[in-house]
Amino acid sequence: MATPRKSAQQQAAREKALAKAKELTERHEKLIELAADFFQRQEQAELVRADAKKKADALLAKAEEDAQDAVRGAARTVRAMLDSGEPKSGVSARLGLSAGELKRLLDLLSEDEKKSSTENNSPAAPEAADRESQNAAV
């Protein structure tokens, strides 16, 4: 049998190199597609987290607002008990509040009344001040 010509050997080596390069190129392209998918999913995860954080912050803000409204309602109840003639010590004992806690609730109402009187410029502010001074005397 005759030995293959040098040009035939070169052609076979070239074809083998091209086949290997094609295989490497296909693998490289597949890895690029997978990497792009990875980065897309990472970005999607960050968007989901950011959206969830925004919703959680809004929910917490609403909950805090509702809780403050409830505390103000409780303070109005304390004020109503005092307005009925019950002494502060009796209200504190009945509700299980310390004197400081009772004062904080009443101060909260006073702050709200001051804010609303300055916002509305209504004549209710002197009446509120009169009630405060009456309650302070008790």
Side-chain angles (χ1 to χ4, degrees):
M1 174 174 226
T3 59
R5 291 187 181 152
K6 192 169 191 178
S7 63
Q9 285 178 337
Q10 287 176 339
Q11 183 65 28
R14 182 172 170 75
E15 287 174 7
K16 187 175 180 181
L18 285 173
K20 188 68 172 169
K22 182 179 177 183
E23 180 182 312
L24 288 174
T25 300
E26 287 172 356
R27 183 168 184 256
H28 181 68
E29 288 175 359
K30 179 67 176 173
L31 290 172
I32 289 173
E33 288 175 22
L34 290 171
D37 183 58
F38 170 82
F39 289 120
Q40 182 181 10
R41 290 178 190 266
Q42 286 288 90
E43 186 176 335
Q44 184 181 14
E46 289 303 316
L47 291 173
V48 167
R49 286 185 186 104
D51 186 49
K53 183 172 178 6
K54 183 178 175 182
K55 288 178 182 176
D57 289 345
L59 183 63
L60 288 172
K62 175 72 171 116
E64 184 59 33
E65 185 180 312
D66 291 347
Q68 286 298 321
D69 288 344
V71 169
R72 285 184 182 89
R76 285 190 293 275
T77 301
V78 167
R79 173 64 57 91
M81 292 174 84
L82 292 171
D83 289 347
S84 75
E86 185 70 17
K88 286 183 179 180
S89 59
V91 172
S92 293
R94 185 175 299 272
L95 299 177
L97 297 173
S98 69
E101 290 169 324
L102 187 75
K103 183 178 180 335
R104 267 181 286 206
L105 288 171
L106 295 172
D107 289 346
L108 177 67
L109 281 181
S110 296
E111 290 172 17
D112 287 349
E113 289 170 354
K114 287 177 186 175
K115 286 179 187 175
S116 67
S117 68
T118 57
E119 289 173 1
N120 297 333
N121 292 329
S122 68
E127 294 172 12
D130 288 342
R131 275 188 300 202
E132 286 179 33
S133 63
Q134 288 173 357
N135 288 335
V138 173

